[in-house]
Amino acid sequence: MIEHQNTNPQELLHSHQLKSTACREGILQAMLDVREALSEHEIRTHLSVDFDRTTFYRSFKTLLEHQLIHKIVLDPQKIKYAVHTHRGSEHAHFYCEQCDSVRCVDGIHMPVVPLPEGYLIHHTDLIIRGLCHNCNTNVS
Amino acid sequence: MIEHQNTNPQELLHSHQLKSTACREGILQAMLDVREALSEHEIRTHLSVDFDRTTFYRSFKTLLEHQLIHKIVLDPQKIKYAVHTHRGSEHAHFYCEQCDSVRCVDGIHMPVVPLPEGYLIHHTDLIIRGLCHNCNTNVS
DNA sequence: TTTTTATTGCAACATAGTTGCATTGAATCA
DNA sequence: TGATTCAATGCAACTATGTTGCAATAAAAA
Ligand SMILES: [Mn+2]
Ligand SMILES: [Mn+2]
Ligand SMILES: [Zn+2]
Ligand SMILES: [Zn+2]
């Protein structure tokens, strides 16, 4: 199985012309380690150093603006972040309603939406909710 | 053009075995009047009486649970609610990034997603972001 | 009319995120 | 090396979106 290169926070940041700070590195490292979309809290617990919430969110903002990461909004109180890997930027997300995990889903052609005349599409968000393999198979 | 019946808060509530309270009625009336998805604030300004935020959110919760309305989460700080009309429950939403409006979009077949073995789909959310006819045509 | 049940309002709390301002720290320039 | 500069950090305060506990009130049922 071929592992993708660039799975290194410093390199990632540098390749996007961003300074390599402790907080940014930590966020990226957590995401690369876990390989799942993570909430602020989940990233925080994964980290050894503790940053102020402001710093954290400013890092998120920077990483989002430079498209190193993306954000998955499941609910106003349920937000996850994931790295942008080599996959196409338009992809779906699967949310497991039982174990609360979010995974990026490749290979989905976004639906062609019959919108009225004059509408312009910038971006399409597709979130699939259900049970992941683990939660669906290992029934209690 | 055929107008759908039941466009009346009291009837709507009653047909779903829900008590007809002032807050519930107000929320539904606002949505039926405007015919767009509305935020809490937008509904509030549309109403004459002012309810406590708790009452408001408890009404939302009840209406959501009984499927009289549905919720469109655009961002943690950008939430809209819309009535469930006769349209199918699975439908897409269009969000105009300029005028901030959300409209329910009918006639979209949700994409068939090639998920790995064992995954179970409960629901699919599709949000299309861009410019509405008005904002796209009337360029500044 | 009395009892029961549901709704409302208030206070307090939680999560997600932003802004202003002062401080620190890391590069860059001389 | 030292001074300048600019970005990153931390703290305080604030916004939006909810939720929970508890007491008061209003509506339905007995
Ligand atoms: Mn993703
Ligand atoms: Mn809708
Ligand atoms: Zn799961
Ligand atoms: Zn618009």
Side-chain angles (χ1 to χ4, degrees), chain B residues 19 53-54 57-58 61 71 76-79 81:
Chain B
K19 237 187 247 184
R53 283 174 23 79
T54 320
Y57 280 106
R58 276 196 279 235
K61 209 182 175 190
K71 185 177 174 175
Q77 263 74 30
K78 189 149 285 179
I79 315 293
Y81 299 88

Side-chain angles (χ1 to χ4, degrees), chain B residues 26 43-51:
Chain B
I43 298 171
R44 200 172 275 289
T45 57
H46 191 276
L47 261 59
S48 45
V49 214
D50 191 45
F51 297 97

Side-chain angles (χ1 to χ4, degrees), chain A residues 94 96-101 103 130-136:
Chain A
F94 185 87
C96 177
E97 291 175 332
Q98 189 164 307
C99 72
D100 220 55
S101 66
R103 279 190 260 280
L131 294 180
C132 74
H133 175 87
N134 223 301
C135 293
N136 192 29

Side-chain angles (χ1 to χ4, degrees), chain A residues 53-54 57 71 76-77 79 81:
Chain A
R53 283 175 21 81
T54 320
Y57 280 106
K71 185 176 175 175
Q77 263 75 31
I79 315 292
Y81 299 89

Side-chain angles (χ1 to χ4, degrees), chain A residues 4 13 19 23-25 36 44 49 53 56 62 66 69 83 86-87 128-129 138 140:
Chain A
H4 198 254
L13 287 163
K19 237 188 247 184
C23 189
R24 289 174 190 170
E25 280 178 37
E36 248 184 39
R44 201 172 274 290
V49 214
R53 283 175 21 81
F56 231 80
T62 306
H66 289 77
I69 64 171
V83 283
H86 58 293
R87 89 186 75 234
I128 301 139
R129 294 163 198 263
N138 310 343
S140 56

Side-chain angles (χ1 to χ4, degrees), chain B residues 94 96-101 103 130-136:
Chain B
F94 184 88
C96 177
E97 291 173 333
Q98 189 164 308
C99 72
D100 221 56
S101 65
R103 278 190 261 280
L131 294 180
C132 73
H133 174 86
N134 223 300
C135 293
N136 192 30

